[in-house]
Amino acid sequence: MAGVGASGSGGGGDTEMGGGWSELLNTSTKLLEQAAPNGPHFPTLQRNLDQLEVLSTKLKAKTIRAEAPSQSLSATRLLAREGINAEQLTRDLKSFELKTTTFEDVFPSEATSVEEYLQQLHEMAIVSSIQGAQKDNLKSFNNYMMQVLEDDWQNEKRDFLQSLSRLSTLPKRNTNLAGGLSRPALMPSSASSPQASSGLPSMEVMPIPNKTIIENKSSVYAGVVRDLNDARGRSVPFNPATAFRAAYESLSVDAIGSKSVTMQKVWHLIQALLGEGSTQRNISRKMSLVIGARRHLEWGHEKYIIETINSQPALAALGGSVGNLQKIRAFLRVRLRDHGVLDFDATDLRRQPPVDTTWQQIYFCLRTGYYDEARQVAQSSRAAYSFAPLLAEWITSNGVVSSETALTASEECEKMLRMGDRPGRPGYDRKKLLLYAIICGCRRQIDRLLKDLPTLFSTIEDFLWFKLSALREYSSASSSNGVNEGLVPYTLEDLQNYLNKFMKPSYYTKSGKDPLVYPYVLLLSIQSLPAILYLSKEVGEEGYHVDAVHISITLADHGILPEGVGSGQKMGVMDACAEAASIIRQYGSIYLRNGNLDLALEYYAQAASAMGGGEVSWIGQGNADQQRQRSSMLKQLLTEILLRDGGIQLLLGPSGMGEEGQLKKYMMDWRSRQQFLLEAAHRCQEAGLYDKSVEIHKRVGAFAMALQTVNKCLSDAICAMAHNRLDGESRAVALIQSGSEILETARYSSEASVQDKDLISEQQIVLRQLQAILHIYKLTRAGQTVEVLRETIKLPFLHLDPQSPNVSVDVFRNLSPHVQACVSDLLKLALNCMDNVRDTDGTLRAVKSKIANLVASNMSRNWPQDLYQKVAQCI
């Protein structure tokens, strides 16, 4: 019963379901007939339940999209307005997967609620973050320690190389090193060299094989310094930067290397700064330096263009053309190869319009130094027709355009900067903006340009060229006019202040990998003195400190050091000159210590020249303060050489006051040489160098002063004999001979005046008195006591003759101090001798009485205590 009931119940459900489907079919058929009663019958479609389910799902999805909320539609419209594809963004978000390693990857979380799951997920995220931070910290610490170790190693290596370089920088005698560096001293003078006037080094200055870079640099540079001094002494034109650059290039040390800035490049920059071989008229010294720096950057860009063309000759398609404009266009073919057909290559203008390269051509012509070609392009182009007169004025006036021209260019810059690069609007060529900014020279426009377009320049050379081209010279008159018109000029001080914000050596040198970039930027921004000071501290195997010395010589010779102090340095004109002179002097003193007086003299002369303002100091055209400073330093340095062995022979020659030596080159006036030598002789006396003092006095003709010095030394030698010193007698004999030679020379000299002859006679009397005292001491050493007493009594200046009356006489009134110094010892000697001789007739007693009277009458002389005791015993 139960089973039957159950079965019946199930069958009834099926019957109802079947009836329902049948009713639905009938209803749909009636609807079809009502919709098209007279039309064609639609084909019958057979669908099973699965197919119906799939179709209904699709229909539902379409319905959902159609019923999307208004917020979604608004978001889609917003994204479309900004140029973003909403469907693409949705697909990208669906495909994006954030992969993180957390504890959940290893230990799956077990949670019974959403809150608990989120709590566990939060904790695991925090733990994972901490663990990741620990790993990063450990990695950073290890990297830091490795960097510290590497830096310590670099410092140790630098210190070791520095210690070696100090030993091998300059020559020592009788060593292989000395042969390398002292060889220029043996070269013949460049006076007869035809290259001396052109500024090229002598042919004898060649790099020495098997020597270090420092030794070869010192050798070739020393030859140039010698040529420079010789040219300045003879008032012959000489270009030191050109000569030093040629000398450095002869070493071929930069032939292989990966450094972006080499010393050869630095020397070319210095040569361009100084403008050797070119003339700049009606322009200040500071702007001349700026133009020189710009010319150097243009020279470097020309090399870059040629290298680019040679690297891709097929694409450049230069052909047989060698004109400057053709080079620029060949360069643009390579540079703009992805932009399509360029205007100067277009043949069929009815096809796609070619790329307009007017502003590119003008900019790169100026950047490469092709000013005439830039003007030609501007005048022949319709796009730059209004720019052509502005450019022509800028080129003609060396950048000093009128206020009207600057204002016109400034307004054009304002217009381009306001327009910007907006989508849907025609933009502007950035090179056009740069060109108008250069013509304008306005600080506000330049600062805004760099702020709005920070990626405008790809290299620091391009950046500095733009700045140097745009800056103007500051003056009160032009500044006031510029302020009234809203055009404050961009000055060199502005550039230096901007660069000094980043002026850390490591910022430019890549932590020492490219060490010359920092001084190179300093020189380009006309901060020559900081560049020299930086290079002078770079003591290593490259020998940059040697280059710094000769860069100082070059810049000082042209007298531009005061212009290159820099904006952040508070230093006067003489301070800058003194810094350079100190560097040159220290370098020359190393030669002096090693005995190479020739080269020490050459560098000392340059140190004094730097102190006096450079080339003008050689011909006396500097100001009074500079001339005084040069003269003072030159005398001091020449005196240092005179005090050395061989110094007198080098400066004065075999005879005379320097007419046959090197002194005449630096002191042409006879009276100035005489005054210098007298001062030097006095310095020698103060230093105890009496032989040199005597020699210098003899050369000057001051024979009385020479005799006075001999008498002083002879007195000291006699006192030494009195105290039983072994070297006294031989020294005294040599001095007697020297004094006799001086007297003989003075007798036949025509330089001695009547007054000098009187002084010579006085010193001759002193010499003979000392000679008589010396003879007495010789008799004492021979044991001839009686002869000692006899000769002592005969001395006229002591008045000890027992036959003469006892009259109180001041024997020291007219007695030379040198003789007075010997009297006390001579009286003791006489008293000691009388103790060993028998007094048969009372003569000795009378002599003792006279000695006692002499001592008692001159108590103010502070006689020695043992003399008092001896006199007391005799009485």
Side-chain angles (χ1 to χ4, degrees):
M1 291 293 294
V4 174
S7 174
S9 176
D14 295 336
T15 303
E16 293 176 359
M17 181 68 69
W21 285 110
S22 299
E23 291 177 1
L24 182 60
L25 179 60
N26 294 330
T27 304
S28 62
T29 303
K30 292 178 180 180
L31 289 173
L32 182 61
E33 292 175 353
Q34 293 176 1
N38 299 322
H41 295 284
F42 289 99
T44 304
L45 298 177
Q46 300 294 331
R47 296 286 188 272
N48 56 25
L49 292 178
D50 295 334
Q51 292 174 338
L52 289 175
E53 183 179 4
V54 172
L55 293 174
S56 62
T57 302
K58 293 182 178 179
L59 180 61
K60 181 178 181 181
K62 292 180 180 179
T63 304
I64 292 175
R65 284 199 300 269
E67 296 177 356
S70 60
Q71 293 86 351
S72 177
L73 295 177
S74 300
T76 303
R77 285 196 297 272
L78 177 61
L79 293 173
R81 187 162 58 249
E82 296 297 328
I84 300 175
N85 190 339
E87 295 181 357
Q88 181 65 32
L89 179 62
T90 302
R91 287 194 299 269
D92 293 341
L93 290 175
K94 288 181 179 180
S95 63
F96 179 74
E97 181 181 0
L98 181 62
K99 295 184 179 182
T100 59
T101 302
T102 64
F103 281 107
E104 187 179 3
D105 300 327
V106 183
F107 304 103
S109 60
E110 297 179 358
T112 57
S113 65
V114 176
E115 291 78 6
E116 186 178 351
Y117 170 77
L118 292 176
Q119 179 66 25
Q120 293 180 4
L121 188 62
H122 177 68
E123 292 176 355
M124 286 186 288
I126 292 177
V127 173
S128 301
S129 299
I130 294 174
Q131 190 179 48
Q134 289 177 342
K135 292 181 180 179
D136 292 340
N137 288 338
L138 182 61
K139 182 178 180 181
S140 300
F141 177 77
N142 291 333
N143 292 337
Y144 173 75
M145 291 304 297
M146 290 300 296
Q147 184 65 36
V148 169
L149 290 174
E150 184 177 353
D151 293 342
D152 290 343
W153 161 243
Q154 292 294 338
N155 292 334
E156 291 290 338
K157 184 172 68 172
R158 177 172 296 182
D159 293 341
F160 176 71
L161 293 175
Q162 180 177 353
S163 63
L164 290 180
S165 65
R166 287 176 177 173
L167 295 175
S168 61
T169 299
L170 292 173
K172 292 185 178 181
R173 289 183 172 181
N174 301 325
T175 63
N176 293 333
L177 179 60
L181 291 182
S182 61
R183 194 167 301 176
L186 302 177
M187 294 188 306
S189 174
S190 60
S192 60
S193 174
Q195 295 173 333
S197 60
S198 64
L200 296 176
S202 301
M203 294 301 294
E204 292 87 348
V205 181
M206 296 296 292
I208 306 167
N210 301 324
K211 296 292 182 181
T212 65
I213 295 177
I214 295 177
E215 294 166 359
N216 281 328
K217 276 185 179 181
S218 301
S219 175
V220 297
Y221 283 162
V224 177
V225 172
R226 188 187 303 277
D227 293 343
L228 173 61
N229 287 340
D230 183 74
R232 294 290 176 258
R234 296 185 295 114
S235 299
V236 176
F238 190 87
N239 295 325
T242 304
F244 280 122
R245 179 188 172 194
Y248 182 83
E249 289 175 350
S250 67
L251 300 175
S252 303
V253 295
D254 292 334
I256 300 176
S258 59
K259 295 182 176 64
S260 61
V261 179
T262 62
M263 187 51 64
Q264 182 178 358
K265 192 173 183 180
V266 172
W267 274 119
H268 184 277
L269 170 58
I270 294 171
Q271 185 181 2
L273 285 174
L274 302 177
E276 292 184 352
S278 63
T279 57
Q280 296 288 347
R281 297 180 179 179
N282 300 326
I283 196 169
S284 67
R285 179 178 294 180
K286 182 178 292 186
M287 286 306 297
S288 176
L289 294 173
V290 170
I291 293 175
R294 201 173 70 210
R295 293 282 190 267
H296 166 76
L297 292 174
E298 292 164 358
W299 166 81
H301 195 265
E302 183 180 24
K303 290 183 61 179
Y304 167 70
I305 282 180
I306 295 175
E307 291 173 359
T308 302
I309 294 174
N310 293 334
S311 64
Q312 301 189 41
L315 187 60
L318 182 60
S321 302
V322 292
N324 294 332
L325 184 58
Q326 283 72 27
K327 294 178 185 176
I328 296 298
R329 290 177 174 176
F331 170 74
L332 289 176
R333 291 189 188 101
V334 179
R335 180 180 177 86
L336 304 177
R337 57 183 177 273
D338 298 330
H339 289 67
V341 180
L342 306 183
D343 52 359
F344 49 79
D345 287 335
T347 55
D348 188 2
L349 299 180
R350 293 172 298 178
R351 301 180 62 183
Q352 182 179 359
V355 178
D356 186 5
T357 63
T358 299
W359 301 107
Q360 298 272 346
Q361 291 185 64
I362 297 175
Y363 172 80
F364 283 110
C365 281
L366 291 179
R367 178 68 181 87
T368 317
Y370 302 156
Y371 289 1
D372 293 338
E373 287 75 10
R375 189 184 330 192
Q376 174 186 343
V377 174
Q379 292 174 350
S380 61
S381 173
R382 184 180 304 173
Y385 181 77
S386 60
F387 178 74
L390 308 182
L391 177 62
E393 181 181 351
W394 183 85
I395 294 174
T396 304
S397 63
N398 283 322
V400 187
V401 298
S402 64
S403 57
E404 293 79 9
T405 301
L407 182 61
T408 302
S410 176
E411 292 174 351
E412 190 67 25
C413 288
E414 286 279 358
K415 186 187 303 182
M416 285 185 283
L417 288 171
R418 283 198 307 268
M419 179 175 62
D421 290 331
R422 298 182 181 179
R425 291 188 179 184
Y428 61 89
D429 196 321
R430 292 186 175 183
K431 297 297 185 289
K432 178 181 178 181
L433 177 60
L434 287 177
L435 291 170
Y436 273 102
I438 290 174
I439 301 297
C440 169
C442 176
R443 181 193 304 171
R444 182 168 59 89
Q445 301 294 357
I446 292 172
D447 291 342
R448 182 180 175 186
L449 183 149
L450 296 176
K451 181 180 179 181
D452 294 349
L453 302 172
T455 60
L456 192 59
F457 302 102
S458 57
T459 65
I460 193 171
E461 286 87 354
D462 292 338
F463 170 79
L464 287 174
W465 179 85
F466 167 73
K467 290 274 191 167
L468 292 171
S469 301
L471 63 83
R472 304 289 184 265
E473 187 172 15
Y474 176 81
S475 64
S476 58
S478 62
S479 177
S480 62
N481 295 334
V483 171
N484 294 335
E485 299 175 4
L487 295 174
V488 179
Y490 189 81
T491 63
L492 180 61
E493 289 72 19
D494 295 328
L495 173 61
Q496 293 174 350
N497 290 330
Y498 179 85
L499 292 175
N500 288 338
K501 295 178 182 178
F502 314 100
M503 276 297 179
K504 292 182 179 180
S506 58
Y507 179 83
Y508 294 97
T509 62
K510 302 175 184 177
S511 300
K513 297 179 181 178
D514 210 347
L516 291 179
V517 175
Y518 177 64
Y520 181 68
V521 173
L522 287 173
L523 289 170
L524 284 172
S525 57
I526 322 301
Q527 301 185 77
S528 54
L529 186 60
I532 291 171
L533 295 176
Y534 174 81
L535 285 173
S536 65
K537 299 174 184 177
E538 286 290 308
V539 180
E541 59 184 6
E542 297 292 337
Y544 295 137
H545 61 292
V546 179
D547 298 303
V549 173
H550 298 88
I551 292 174
S552 301
I553 291 175
T554 304
L555 298 180
D557 184 73
H558 282 266
I560 67 165
L561 283 172
E563 306 293 338
V565 173
S567 61
Q569 303 288 334
K570 295 181 179 180
M571 191 176 293
V573 174
M574 296 309 301
D575 295 331
C577 296
E579 286 284 353
S582 176
I583 293 174
I584 301 169
R585 176 183 180 177
Q586 289 177 7
Y587 185 79
S589 66
I590 304 177
Y591 280 107
L592 184 67
R593 289 194 298 269
N594 288 277
N596 195 334
L597 301 185
D598 292 343
L599 288 181
L601 175 61
E602 303 291 346
Y603 283 98
Y604 277 3
Q606 277 301 316
S609 173
M611 201 67 182
E615 181 182 2
V616 295
S617 67
W618 291 81
I619 54 179
Q621 292 185 356
N623 58 51
D625 189 33
Q626 287 179 326
Q627 289 296 323
R628 181 180 58 81
Q629 294 282 355
R630 176 188 182 270
S631 177
S632 176
M633 181 173 236
L634 183 62
K635 289 180 179 179
Q636 180 181 357
L637 297 178
L638 291 179
T639 302
E640 289 185 17
I641 296 178
L642 273 177
L643 298 183
R644 295 279 177 166
D645 293 339
I648 295 177
Q649 186 72 17
L650 173 66
L651 291 177
L652 306 184
S655 63
M657 289 195 310
E659 296 83 358
E660 303 177 10
Q662 295 292 322
L663 185 61
K664 187 177 181 180
K665 184 192 301 184
Y666 308 108
M667 292 184 180
M668 301 180 184
D669 182 49
W670 177 87
R671 192 169 299 279
S672 62
R673 290 200 302 271
Q674 183 187 44
Q675 181 63 30
F676 161 70
L677 291 174
L678 290 174
E679 294 176 0
H682 181 68
R683 286 280 304 275
C684 290
Q685 281 187 331
E686 292 179 344
L689 302 175
Y690 299 111
D691 291 342
K692 290 185 176 295
S693 176
V694 170
E695 178 65 21
I696 294 173
H697 279 137
K698 287 167 59 179
R699 294 294 190 95
V700 177
F703 301 109
M705 300 180 72
L707 272 177
Q708 185 178 7
T709 304
V710 169
N711 290 335
K712 194 269 180 192
C713 295
L714 182 55
S715 176
D716 294 339
I718 292 173
C719 291
M721 289 182 63
H723 294 85
N724 297 320
R725 296 176 188 170
L726 299 177
D727 59 340
E729 183 175 358
S730 59
R731 172 70 174 159
V733 172
L735 289 168
I736 293 293
Q737 182 179 358
S738 176
S740 300
E741 291 175 355
I742 293 173
L743 290 172
E744 188 69 18
T745 305
R747 182 179 304 171
Y748 299 102
S749 174
S750 60
E751 299 177 0
S753 62
V754 176
Q755 184 179 3
D756 292 337
K757 291 181 178 179
D758 294 339
L759 296 175
I760 292 171
S761 299
E762 294 177 4
Q763 294 301 321
Q764 183 179 7
I765 293 172
V766 175
L767 178 64
R768 297 312 176 203
Q769 290 173 346
L770 292 173
Q771 188 174 5
I773 296 174
L774 176 63
H775 178 64
I776 292 173
Y777 278 100
K778 289 183 178 180
L779 294 174
T780 303
R781 291 194 173 185
Q784 301 179 20
T785 308
V786 177
E787 293 297 326
V788 169
L789 290 174
R790 185 178 290 113
E791 294 296 330
T792 304
I793 293 172
K794 286 181 180 180
L795 292 176
F797 56 87
L798 290 181
H799 301 281
L800 298 179
D801 188 359
Q803 303 298 328
S804 63
N806 290 327
V807 180
S808 178
V809 180
D810 187 2
V811 299
F812 295 103
R813 176 180 299 175
N814 298 320
L815 199 61
S816 169
H818 305 312
V819 180
Q820 293 179 26
C822 304
V823 170
S824 60
D825 292 327
L826 185 60
L827 294 178
K828 285 191 298 181
L829 176 63
L831 292 173
N832 290 329
C833 290
M834 282 188 283
D835 291 341
N836 300 320
V837 177
R838 182 183 300 177
D839 187 5
T840 58
D841 55 359
T843 301
L844 298 182
R845 183 174 180 82
V847 174
K848 289 179 181 180
S849 176
K850 286 185 175 291
I851 292 176
N853 291 334
L854 177 62
V855 173
S857 301
N858 297 276
M859 295 290 290
S860 61
R861 297 193 55 80
N862 295 324
W863 300 103
Q865 188 66 30
D866 53 354
L867 178 59
Y868 285 124
Q869 294 175 358
K870 193 65 179 177
V871 171
Q873 292 174 5
C874 294
I875 294 176

